[in-house]
Amino acid sequence: MRNYKLKDSELLELADTFHVRFTEDIASFSGFDKELNQDFADSLQAIINSAMTIGEDTTNTIYA
């Protein structure tokens, strides 16, 4: 179920931009909440990378 009104491509671009900005200011985020650290940034990047592969031709071959 979609809980957002953006196009998928717009949401992925927004997530990528958020990740870049987050890593640029990671010290400030960590000062606010210790869980917002490099491990969080790495996990977020992995999720974004995974989401970006959804819909590629290589993943759709199982439905052919």
Side-chain angles (χ1 to χ4, degrees):
M1 174 188 263
R2 292 175 56 108
N3 292 327
Y4 53 92
K5 295 182 181 183
L6 298 172
K7 295 178 185 177
D8 289 351
S9 59
E10 293 171 334
L11 183 64
L12 290 171
E13 183 177 345
L14 183 61
D16 195 47
T17 300
F18 173 81
H19 182 267
V20 168
R21 299 294 184 251
F22 174 77
T23 55
E24 289 174 350
D25 295 324
I26 199 165
S28 296
F29 282 103
S30 292
F32 175 73
D33 183 341
K34 296 294 182 200
E35 291 186 22
L36 298 175
N37 54 29
Q38 189 60 49
D39 289 339
F40 176 83
D42 294 343
S43 182
L44 180 60
Q45 185 64 62
I47 292 167
I48 293 168
N49 291 345
S50 177
M52 287 190 179
T53 63
I54 294 173
E56 288 184 351
D57 291 341
T58 56
T59 60
N60 288 332
T61 57
I62 60 172
Y63 300 109

